[in-house]
Each structure stands twice: as structure tokens, then as C-alpha cells.
Amino acid sequence: MPALIRLHHDLAALLRRPHEHGSVVYPVDREASLKDAVEALGVPHTEVDKLLVNGREADFATRLAEGQTIDVHPPSPPLDPTQPHPLRPPLMRLAFLADANVGKLASLLRLLGLNTAYAGEAADREVAARAAREGRVLLTRDRRLLRRSAVLHGRLLRANEPRAQLAEILTLYGLSGPFRTFSRCLRCNAPLVPVAKDEILPRLLPKTRRYFDTFHRCPSCDRVYWPGSHHDGMLRMLADMGLGGA
Ligand SMILES: [Zn+2]
């Protein structure tokens, strides 16, 4: 007798095979865990917030048995990964690791002052290990990467466009500001530190020297930041999205 797996809410949209309203009749022909079964259907374990077997809470290691009804629920916002959870250990603080396929999203998160490391060209295995080691939510468009057991917290971005992806993350984690905009280096995520104008004077163009007095420096890559035109453009973009700075 097969099992019935019911994918609730937006998880149904991730199903690979034909289904009726997120319900899939699943053949129980081998020893499979709930994690195996749900991921075989196309849903990475990171997207699951609650698992029920015949109405009772279960975890990913639970074995699938004949005739069971499995309910799979996504998180309902706001999700706080620092809180105790039956399916995964809590994070120390909310921080992200952006995969190479969501690089622009990483810049937008940094722009808001949110701690966001960037995976760059690292191999999948290393990216997954880093997310676990540094206690970060792995953000990606790659389902296979999220299926790795080393990944405990992650989010499969549903949107294509970086601003829509940002809105997706802010909604999911209930981040509504005020944000510490321009508090992190956009290039390397390090928190910026104030720097005296005198110290960097030789590096400034004449117009910047004349019109600006407040400067910040990245302690990691040494890039200098000031509230110039780039800054204004970014603030306008955030305002367009309904996001004010602090
Ligand atoms: Zn930097």
C-alpha cells in the first residue's frame, strides 16, 4: 500500500511530478526516510517547517511506512531561525550565506546592513559546510545544494529578480527595519568603521574632498565609503521598495 504525501501551501509548486492540489501517492518500495521521500518529490528539506505522520509530529529521519499520510508544511512568516525548532538546531544569530546564483541579492542584503557572506565560486560541498560552520542561512536557487544534509538552514529563492528576492527574504524572516543601511562593506560584508577625512585625503577626488566630511572605511578591503551619488541612488531604490534606512 502506498503512502499519501500532502504538500501544503507554496510547497505544492515545487513538486516535480503531476499532482492534485499538492497530494502525491508515494510508493513505499524501499527503506526511505521522510527527508528522502520529500526531496525525491522536488522539495529540499530546508523548505519544510513541520512534518506530520498520520497527524503526529515527526522528524526527517522518520521512516516512511505503508498507508501513512504525511503532511508537509512550509514555515509561516515571520520565521525566526534563532528559536528552538523540532527539525533543526537554532542559529546563534540571523546571518546569511548567498550562493553564486544570488549575488545581487547578497549586495542588497548588505546594503541593508544584514550579515551576508558570499559563496562565490566555491564547490557545493564547501558552500554547504561553510553555512553549517558559520551558522548561516544558505540562500540559493539551486535545489540540489539545499538537499545536502550539511545544510541545516536554507531558503530556495522562488523569485528570479533580485529585488523580488529581497522582498521574499524580508517577508519570510519578518525583517521590517529600521535597517542599518551602509553599515557593511558591499564588497566583503565587513562592518564599516568611521575614518577621519585627514587620513584618506590623498585618496579623494577634488569634488569629494570639497563636498563630503563623513567617511567610513572597510577594515577588510580598505574601500572608502561616503554619502555620494551612488549612496543616494541606493537610498532611492530602497525607498521605492518601501524600505527606509536608519
Ligand atoms: Zn570591504
Side-chain angles (χ1 to χ4, degrees), residues 24-47:
V24 178
V25 176
Y26 194 86
V28 183
D29 53 7
R30 61 182 180 98
E31 278 274 291
S33 66
L34 293 187
K35 178 178 186 292
D36 298 332
V38 167
E39 294 193 329
L41 297 178
V43 180
H45 71 280
T46 51
E47 309 310 293

Side-chain angles (χ1 to χ4, degrees), residues 2 16-17 37 87 109 116 118 142 160 175 189 198 219 228:
R16 288 216 180 89
R17 52 176 79 179
L87 295 182
L109 289 167
T116 308
Y118 182 57
D142 180 356
N160 257 321
L175 304 169
N189 190 43
D198 290 351

Side-chain angles (χ1 to χ4, degrees), residues 16-192:
R16 288 216 180 89
R17 52 176 79 179
H19 59 88
E20 191 139 341
H21 307 300
S23 291
V24 178
V25 176
Y26 194 86
V28 183
D29 53 7
R30 61 182 180 98
E31 278 274 291
S33 66
L34 293 187
K35 178 178 186 292
D36 298 332
V38 167
E39 294 193 329
L41 297 178
V43 180
H45 71 280
T46 51
E47 309 310 293
V48 178
D49 194 59
K50 192 154 80 170
L51 281 171
L52 300 175
V53 176
N54 294 339
R56 302 181 67 162
E57 278 211 44
D59 60 19
F60 287 120
T62 304
R63 297 280 148 184
L64 187 66
E66 290 190 357
Q68 287 177 333
T69 297
I70 316 296
D71 286 291
V72 187
H73 293 268
S76 34
L79 175 62
D80 181 356
T82 67
Q83 291 301 303
H85 192 279
L87 295 182
R88 47 186 72 89
L91 296 178
M92 298 289 286
R93 81 288 191 231
L94 181 60
F96 302 103
L97 172 60
D99 190 13
N101 55 30
V102 289
K104 283 185 179 157
L105 171 63
S107 301
L108 293 174
L109 289 167
R110 285 175 183 173
L111 186 58
L112 292 179
L114 299 167
N115 185 342
T116 308
Y118 182 57
E121 297 306 311
D124 280 7
R125 177 196 294 270
E126 290 165 38
V127 176
R130 182 179 180 190
R133 192 174 61 243
E134 297 181 7
R136 295 176 181 275
V137 178
L138 179 55
L139 305 176
T140 183
R141 294 274 288 160
D142 180 356
R143 293 190 201 200
R144 268 202 329 206
L145 175 57
L146 292 177
R147 285 173 62 163
R148 289 180 171 265
S149 297
V151 180
L152 299 173
H153 294 265
R155 171 69 180 183
L156 179 72
L157 272 305
R158 313 296 209 271
N160 257 321
E161 200 271 323
R163 288 194 217 184
Q165 291 174 342
L166 177 64
E168 201 179 312
I169 293 301
L170 298 181
T171 302
L172 179 62
Y173 296 102
L175 304 169
S176 57
F179 295 101
R180 299 188 62 227
T181 46
F182 298 99
S183 63
R184 284 182 185 272
C185 180
L186 297 180
R187 188 186 286 162
C188 56
N189 190 43
L192 300 178

Side-chain angles (χ1 to χ4, degrees), residues 197 200-201 203-213 215 224 226 228:
K197 190 175 181 176
I200 47 158
L201 210 54
R203 296 167 60 179
L204 303 177
L205 294 170
K207 272 194 176 169
T208 310
R209 265 185 218 180
R210 192 179 318 152
Y211 294 116
F212 298 97
D213 292 310
F215 296 88
V224 173
W226 65 92

